[in-house]
Amino acid sequence: MEPEAAISHHGNTTSFPRSASGGGLLHEREVVRATGRDAISTFLDSHTCYSVLRASGKCVVFDTRIPIQLAFYALVEHDMQAAPLWDPSTCQFVGLLTVTDFIDVLRWYRRTKADISSLATRSIADILSDSQILSTVLLHHVPRRGDPANSINTNSSPMNRHRVFLSADANTTLKHACKLLHKHSLDFLPVILPDDMRVLATITYTTILEHLVTHFREQRRLFDDTVYDLGIGTYHENVVTVNQSQTLAEVLHTLHIHGLSAVPVLDEQKKVKAVYSRSDITFLATATDAEDALSNLDMTLETLLSQRRNDITTPDVLHTCTIRHTLHSIFEYFAQWKFNRLVVVDENEMAIGIVSARDLVAYFLDRS
């Protein structure tokens, strides 16, 4: 019988078979890997963005003249992470607004000690035309693979995704959509009907991966290598972590300078306790007003995590695996939990890697 490995979710374990290590010629292994990548690549090339859209759904678009605070509350009310921005003066889409943008704007107000009461009336256009805000907290740092976790990529070219609207036609292949997401380090990609500029939805790596694991069928055993051996993910000294005793403001700054969307949270014994995502709005949900929200940035992660709701499951909750897990078992686990990322842990529950939905999809793109 083949040995088993377990992937953990909320302390529960689900076992999946994994292939025994060793055996087989190196050349044969490379052929199998290439065949597997080609099979997925062909699948992505044969499906369009339209195929991943839900039968029923909703899409929110913001006029740039509305107050940014109102836009944020609309995102929360509709349980959405991002929305395209429409400029009525030019009659075109001009960018994307996310939940994390509003959080970053709050960080700017806290750092500069500006009058937070003015935020209630400042429009999206006003905020995005403010060079001080746009050139600091809203400037997107692109992570550079292979950099140690304690280094800051000062030579990178930060992206301003609020002045460029990147989108995909509904008939665009999923492979091309993945390349757009990957090339421009995007988290969200609007899908539009070009004839009337109507936005149908906003898709992510997780959206595409969900479609892949639901509809891809393959009888051959092509994915029995471990994600670690395949080089999928970030490992060892390149993994950025934070401690639960750090303040929310400190953690958000760490995420910003490293260009990360989430980070593992460690306890005093350096064991993984949770994952904190930049889009986590727990500290805003408990605030009574903008001033209260600013003061909540000084709370520790330990306090914040204790206020989280435990009766709901989101793609950002903690899911773990080990370096022994095969790509096949990771796909099966994703089909069940639809996670945004897995924290790779050792036998002592310490973080030694991160495997994201982005990493999984990017593996199957052409490397040119």
Side-chain angles (χ1 to χ4, degrees), residues 73 106 110 116 248 282-299 307:
Y73 288 133
L106 286 178
R110 176 183 182 275
I116 188 64
L248 181 54
T282 303
F283 80 100
L284 290 172
T286 60
T288 56
D289 53 30
E291 284 284 354
D292 199 23
L294 283 188
S295 64
N296 281 352
L297 289 172
D298 291 321
M299 74 168 61
Q307 296 175 354

Side-chain angles (χ1 to χ4, degrees), residues 63-79:
D63 186 314
T64 55
R65 295 171 298 184
I66 70 171
I68 191 170
Q69 191 166 309
L70 181 62
F72 166 74
Y73 288 133
L75 285 174
V76 174
E77 181 181 348
H78 291 282
D79 192 26

Side-chain angles (χ1 to χ4, degrees), residues 67-342:
I68 191 170
Q69 191 166 309
L70 181 62
F72 166 74
Y73 288 133
L75 285 174
V76 174
E77 181 181 348
H78 291 282
D79 192 26
M80 306 187 78
Q81 291 292 318
L85 300 175
W86 176 263
D87 185 347
S89 64
T90 59
C91 293
Q92 62 182 8
F93 290 106
V94 294
L96 206 66
L97 184 74
T98 69
V99 167
T100 58
D101 290 333
F102 184 75
I103 295 174
D104 286 337
V105 170
L106 286 178
R107 289 175 51 235
W108 182 85
Y109 271 87
R110 176 183 182 275
R111 190 177 69 184
T112 61
K113 302 186 185 305
D115 182 11
I116 188 64
S117 63
S118 65
L119 189 58
T121 57
R122 295 191 69 178
S123 69
I124 297 173
D126 182 26
I127 291 291
L128 297 186
S129 63
D130 189 319
S131 59
Q132 289 185 317
I133 297 178
L134 202 59
S135 63
T136 54
V137 294
L138 291 185
L139 206 58
H140 180 49
H141 289 268
V142 180
R144 190 169 60 189
R145 297 285 173 176
D147 286 342
N150 59 359
S151 71
I152 300 174
N153 187 8
T154 55
N155 296 321
S156 65
S157 299
M159 291 178 57
N160 187 341
R161 51 187 167 76
H162 302 92
R163 288 181 174 169
V164 178
F165 181 71
L166 291 173
S167 62
D169 186 308
N171 294 317
T172 298
T173 67
L174 289 182
K175 185 175 181 179
H176 184 65
C178 289
K179 287 184 175 181
L180 284 174
L181 286 164
H182 189 70
K183 178 181 178 181
H184 299 283
S185 294
L186 303 175
D187 294 318
F188 307 96
L189 184 66
V191 177
I192 66 170
L193 285 176
D195 293 339
D196 58 5
M197 292 300 290
R198 184 165 19 125
V199 178
L200 299 176
T202 300
I203 64 175
T204 65
Y205 282 109
T206 306
T207 310
I208 295 171
L209 194 56
E210 182 177 353
H211 180 77
L212 173 64
V213 299
T214 302
H215 299 284
F216 179 76
R217 295 291 179 269
E218 176 58 63
Q219 299 301 318
R220 297 168 294 179
R221 297 184 65 88
L222 301 177
F223 309 111
D224 284 340
D225 285 304
T226 68
V227 288
Y228 184 78
D229 288 340
L230 293 173
I232 300 175
T234 302
Y235 296 92
H236 306 306
E237 68 273 8
N238 297 324
V239 178
V240 177
T241 61
V242 295
N243 192 281
Q244 64 179 2
S245 62
Q246 290 182 257
T247 66
L248 181 54
E250 292 171 339
V251 173
L252 288 171
H253 179 67
T254 297
L255 289 167
H256 177 73
I257 62 176
H258 287 285
L260 301 173
S261 59
V263 64
V265 180
L266 310 182
D267 62 16
E268 288 75 11
Q269 286 74 45
K270 304 298 182 183
K271 293 184 178 182
V272 179
K273 180 181 180 65
V275 169
Y276 181 77
S277 168
R278 288 183 67 191
S279 60
D280 190 322
I281 59 169
T282 303
F283 80 100
L284 290 172
T286 60
T288 56
D289 53 30
E291 284 284 354
D292 199 23
L294 283 188
S295 64
N296 281 352
L297 289 172
D298 291 321
M299 74 168 61
T300 65
L301 275 189
E302 185 174 19
T303 301
L304 178 73
L305 294 174
S306 69
Q307 296 175 354
R308 273 182 177 175
R309 291 182 58 182
N310 296 319
D311 58 337
I312 56 174
T313 300
T314 73
D316 284 317
V317 299
L318 175 63
H319 297 269
T320 63
C321 69
T322 72
I323 60 173
R324 300 186 304 276
H325 280 93
T326 66
L327 182 55
H328 178 78
S329 68
I330 298 294
F331 278 155
E332 287 190 335
Y333 190 65
F334 179 87
Q336 180 181 5
W337 292 109
K338 312 296 188 298
F339 54 81
N340 282 337
R341 64 196 59 79
L342 289 170

Side-chain angles (χ1 to χ4, degrees), residues 25-49:
L25 298 174
L26 178 62
H27 176 68
E28 291 177 349
R29 182 176 300 155
E30 290 301 323
V31 169
V32 171
R33 289 179 180 180
T35 303
R37 289 182 58 191
D38 288 344
I40 297 291
S41 180
T42 300
F43 175 88
L44 294 174
D45 229 357
S46 62
H47 290 244
T48 66
C49 290

